[in-house]
Amino acid sequence: MSYLDKYTLIEERDISEINSRARLFEHKKTGARVLSLTNQDENKVFSINFRTPPKDNTGVPHILEHSVLCGSRKYKVKEPFVELLKSSLQTFLNAVTFPDKTCYPVASQNLQDFYNLMDVYLDSVFFPRITRHIFEQEGWHYELENLDSPLKYKGVVFNEMKGAYSSPDSLLADYSQQSIFPDSTYGFDAGGDPQAIPDLTYDDFVDFHKKLYHPSNAFIFFYGDNPEQERLEKLAEYLDQFSRMDADSSIVPQQKKNLNQRLVKTYSASADSSSKTYLTINWLLPETHDPELNLSLRILDFILTGMPASPLRKALIDSGLGEDLTGAGLETDILQMYYSTGLKGIEPANLGKVEKLINSTLDQLAAQGIDPEIITAAINSLEFALRENNTGSFPRGLAVMFRALTTWLYDHSPFILLEFSRTLDGIKSKINTGEKVFEQLIRKYLLDNTHRSVVILEPDPGLGAVIQEKEDLRLQEVRLRLSQEDLQDIVQNTAELKQAQARPDDPAELARIPRLKRADLEKELRITPKQEGEAEGVRFLFHPQPTAGIFYLDLGFDLHFLPREYLAYVPLFGRALLEMGTARHDFVRMTTRIRQKTGGISPVTFTHTRMGGQDGVCYLFLRGKSLPENTSELFHIIKEIIADVDLDNRERFRQIVLEEKAGMEQSLIPAGHRFVGMRLKAGSSEADWAQEQMSGISYLLFLRKLTARIDSDWDQVLRELKEIRRLLFHKKALLANLTAEQESFQSNLELFKGFAENLPQLDLASSSWVTAWPSSREAIIIPAQVNYVGKSINLEQTGYTFHGSSLVATRLLRAGWLWDQVRVQGGAYGAFGSYDHLSGVMAFASYRDPNILDTLKAFDGSGTFLMSEGMDGDEVEKAVIGAIGEMDSYQLPDARGFSSTARHLAGITQEYRQAIRDQILSSTLDHFKEFGRALDKGLKNSPDMICIMGGEAQVDKAAEELNLENRFRLL
């Protein structure tokens, strides 16, 4: 029997925009929908997706997403997902809950590894164990250590969502969406409201899986260079075990009405903070499947707020009524699109002014027209992004899948938004004939649209305490209703759950999880070709790569030509170059020109410890890209920016500073572990100190002071900015990276020479910075319901000499000990451990963590874990595979060129990298134990650094017990 006998071919076509042969199937027996895209991309993608609209706020789709990956019919271990993380060459491995769907995507460049991942995921979603203990671990449960202990809620998703609900930006996004979908599934939170999660019963949880995790409700996706026949045959092995059923997952559209809702909500803020109010206006739009409307609205979104010169963005920022834009912009990933925009950091008295300004600006644009150059810039930006399809480290196939699901999930063709060329040409044609396409869209879908809402989010210093009091009261009421026998049952269940979590998996069951062997791994390092040269006194690197004609230009300026006190200015200076205009063009015209003629120019700070010492590599890069016909324009733009940037615009610079400050404050809670990690490492090397100065808490504190200085001492601020420009823009400071196809190298090199000859030749000296770090143990208070806990030590001080096996050991720590102790048993959403072999620092951090002291104890047990007798060679084997997968992570051509340049700057040679690879491949249990001994010695005897960040009550208690030297409030 042919594999095609099991499927009905619905449609097939070649899609030139993604260079793929596309075939859409239906599995005959079950009705499962299958989209198969075949192309030359070696980074293969598979995903099985289910339509999972929630009917309440208990978070059942999210909890189920976690739970199905905790063991299955074929793979009877606690967490096959974690075993895959340990032992796969995966380039993507995760699961994601959306407002109306749950996706289980995997990706790998290795064919056998790809099918291994696919098999584990298919068995997990269709035949999960989802026992009561798994539900309790991942979702929620009552925890009671003994009859005298306080009754608590615990669960991974419960704590994850406590973190999400601590972020005002996350809350605002949820409230904005829910406000315009009062009668729809989108009025609920699929992730789960922490106050509603304990309402979810185990029976409802199991029933949700039974009804919706079935092939008849599946949307299955393949992408890459593997043969279609093999894909579909392996898939059929699972699908054939089911029969067709009526899986009712339909989503009823929100009926448009005269809504005009005004919703006022609050978020948790500190009593002595300067937290201000947020406002969004939100409009319900049509469904996603009209390609012209969908693409036109995406262009309109970019026109309105996507560029610094965008008219709505500019009006809001120039008004001085708030600190930065907020709102989701155009949301296209659910059944009905919506548009959301507004301001954050508003004084309450100005709320009406903000609302009026948004409406009046839109009215003016609709009535008087939009600048044609802004329209051209928006269309070019979107078209460049669609054609380049540059997804960074995110697999291209996954981006294609999410675009297909935007229509496919709602029973329309998955090809509607993949084939964008004809639609885009049609829109351009209308513009060229003078039709007011975007003005009409503003009028019809925004100004005349009565299905809209205004959401106001106000700071409430007492909200955190109120939420905790509600939780405590609820638990007290539960306890009063329970008999002694009931409470004893909870004590017993708590003990049984912990025993189950701590119980090691059966080695025979672990062996059933498919994986590669060490012998299957490539011994030799993949090398990115590199040519070094000099033109007009400027060093350059050229990386020949298949870039589909796109030219990538990275201009790096050595920050060591700056004094240390200027370093925190650098991210602002990078933005100022591109957003302040020049002597010849104001910032509106310059930013518009960049969007019209290039694929974008971005400032990027780069820091790295240099091989063989503690001094750092610190650069400001201007990263640009263009099509061949516009490469000369790219150089001309950068030349004008460097030569003639207009820094003397106090109001514009103030706007940039306020946006940076608001962005930093917004990211503190969602990315608390990153800030903690930077604080921990800042005292260990010059590069780490510099990174913290430019993107960590020190940078936020600098921005707050600078905001005041702009008003009180602008002349001095301007002098410092001009001095930075003088010290950076000369031939000696520059290293350029060119990434393009070999045949275009010569013409691009000539353009680079023309650019380089105009740079001044200055005889300036670079120097190292004195980087004393003031505190090694600190507690930071933020208004959050969860914590971020970090600890670090310097292993070089224990006498440990770096060996590549340490990178294997730390992978096992993350996916083994830390996962089990901090996440599974501790209830945190995540835990991390990394060893920087250049600085010698081993750093630990937790994410959305209900604990502090217990987490630090878990960190302290890491060395003992690696030395334990329970460690076996099979664990080493798995971790070796995962470490090689990390070393061989998939990169697109521009990223390969930039990574090679980064290694060049840091002095990391191919020979050194190959030696590390050889050491990884030869790792043994003895290496693990050696690293474990050094780690244990360091954790017990060496000076450590501790940084904890979280809610006031827990942080204060932990700070006192730990005798932390420094304690301060950040928000």
Side-chain angles (χ1 to χ4, degrees), residues 884-895:
I884 291 294
E886 191 170 321
M887 197 175 199
D888 292 345
S889 59
Y890 184 74
Q891 291 185 309
L892 296 174
D894 65 309

Side-chain angles (χ1 to χ4, degrees), residues 151-401:
L151 187 65
K152 299 177 182 178
Y153 289 126
K154 202 167 186 182
V156 172
V157 169
F158 179 74
N159 286 310
E160 177 188 351
M161 296 312 296
K162 273 195 167 185
Y165 273 63
S166 297
S167 165
D169 292 270
S170 177
L171 284 173
L172 184 68
D174 287 344
Y175 293 148
S176 296
Q177 175 181 301
Q178 293 163 14
S179 68
I180 53 171
F181 289 100
D183 313 312
S184 165
T185 186
Y186 303 121
F188 300 113
D189 187 347
D193 181 337
Q195 296 187 52
I197 286 173
D199 294 331
L200 180 63
T201 68
Y202 176 66
D203 289 343
D204 287 342
F205 164 79
V206 172
D207 189 57
F208 193 87
H209 179 272
K210 181 179 179 181
K211 289 179 177 178
L212 297 183
Y213 276 58
H214 188 279
S216 299
N217 188 43
F219 298 78
I220 302 167
F221 178 84
F222 289 98
Y223 172 98
D225 61 0
N226 53 318
E228 183 176 85
Q229 176 176 346
E230 195 171 29
R231 297 173 176 175
L232 297 185
E233 285 178 343
K234 290 182 179 295
L235 176 62
E237 292 175 9
Y238 277 92
L239 299 183
D240 288 348
Q241 299 178 55
F242 296 86
S243 297
R244 192 183 295 257
M245 67 169 270
D246 181 18
D248 182 14
S249 63
S250 59
I251 300 171
V252 179
Q254 170 66 54
Q255 292 301 306
K256 189 174 179 181
K257 59 175 72 173
N258 188 7
L259 188 66
N260 273 324
Q261 181 178 193
R262 193 174 188 84
L263 189 66
V264 180
K265 294 283 191 176
T266 59
Y267 69 94
S268 182
S270 300
D272 56 352
S273 73
S274 59
S275 300
K276 297 178 184 177
T277 301
Y278 295 64
L279 178 144
T280 59
I281 304 181
N282 315 282
W283 292 267
L284 180 67
L285 302 174
E287 295 185 21
T288 61
H289 60 267
D290 180 332
E292 183 174 326
L293 179 61
N294 189 299
L295 202 54
S296 296
L297 286 170
R298 291 176 68 187
I299 296 169
L300 177 62
D301 182 29
F302 205 88
I303 288 171
L304 292 177
T305 60
M307 300 173 281
S310 293
L312 181 57
R313 179 187 188 89
K314 188 173 184 299
L316 287 167
I317 296 299
D318 286 354
S319 72
L321 296 171
E323 294 182 343
D324 196 7
L325 260 64
T326 192
L330 181 69
E331 174 58 59
T332 62
D333 291 334
I334 56 179
L335 174 63
Q336 291 159 285
M337 297 177 283
Y338 68 89
Y339 186 68
S340 174
T341 191
L343 268 181
K344 65 175 68 171
I346 310 168
E347 294 292 348
N350 290 329
L351 287 169
K353 295 178 183 178
V354 173
E355 191 175 344
K356 183 178 179 180
L357 178 60
I358 292 172
N359 289 319
S360 63
T361 303
L362 293 174
D363 186 63
Q364 183 179 8
L365 291 170
Q368 299 179 16
I370 302 167
D371 184 341
E373 291 191 6
I374 294 284
I375 294 174
T376 302
I379 291 175
N380 177 72
S381 295
L382 181 61
E383 182 171 12
F384 194 103
L386 288 170
R387 295 196 185 283
E388 183 191 23
N389 198 20
N390 192 328
T391 55
S393 60
F394 192 74
R396 278 177 165 163
L398 276 187
V400 170
M401 181 192 78

Side-chain angles (χ1 to χ4, degrees), residues 388-436:
E388 183 191 23
N389 198 20
N390 192 328
T391 55
S393 60
F394 192 74
R396 278 177 165 163
L398 276 187
V400 170
M401 181 192 78
F402 289 130
R403 209 184 311 163
L405 282 171
T406 300
T407 52
W408 190 27
L409 193 79
Y410 314 114
D411 302 320
H412 296 283
S413 169
F415 307 128
I416 290 173
L417 301 179
L418 301 184
E419 298 176 312
F420 58 82
S421 295
R422 187 179 305 171
T423 303
L424 192 58
D425 288 344
I427 295 170
K428 289 180 184 177
S429 178
K430 287 184 176 183
I431 298 298
N432 292 336
T433 59
E435 186 173 337
K436 299 295 185 180

Side-chain angles (χ1 to χ4, degrees), residues 463-481:
L463 182 61
V466 169
I467 291 173
Q468 189 59 55
E469 286 170 10
K470 282 184 178 179
E471 182 178 310
D472 292 343
L473 180 61
R474 183 174 180 178
L475 286 167
Q476 290 170 18
E477 291 173 347
V478 168
R479 186 164 192 147
L480 288 173
R481 291 198 304 266

Side-chain angles (χ1 to χ4, degrees), residues 132-147 149-156 158-159 194-202 470-483 485-498 501 825:
R132 185 176 292 276
H133 275 165
I134 289 172
F135 164 72
E136 292 173 340
Q137 170 183 291
E138 298 300 318
W140 77 276
H141 65 277
Y142 294 119
E143 181 172 270
L144 192 62
E145 298 284 352
N146 54 64
L147 292 177
S149 300
L151 187 65
K152 299 177 182 178
Y153 289 126
K154 202 167 186 182
V156 172
F158 179 74
N159 286 310
Q195 296 187 52
I197 286 173
D199 294 331
L200 180 63
T201 68
Y202 176 66
K470 282 184 178 179
E471 182 178 310
D472 292 343
L473 180 61
R474 183 174 180 178
L475 286 167
Q476 290 170 18
E477 291 173 347
V478 168
R479 186 164 192 147
L480 288 173
R481 291 198 304 266
L482 298 175
S483 66
E485 185 178 344
D486 293 332
L487 290 171
Q488 187 58 54
D489 287 343
I490 294 175
V491 170
Q492 183 176 344
N493 186 68
T494 299
E496 290 174 353
L497 176 57
K498 290 187 174 184
Q501 291 168 334
Q825 297 181 41

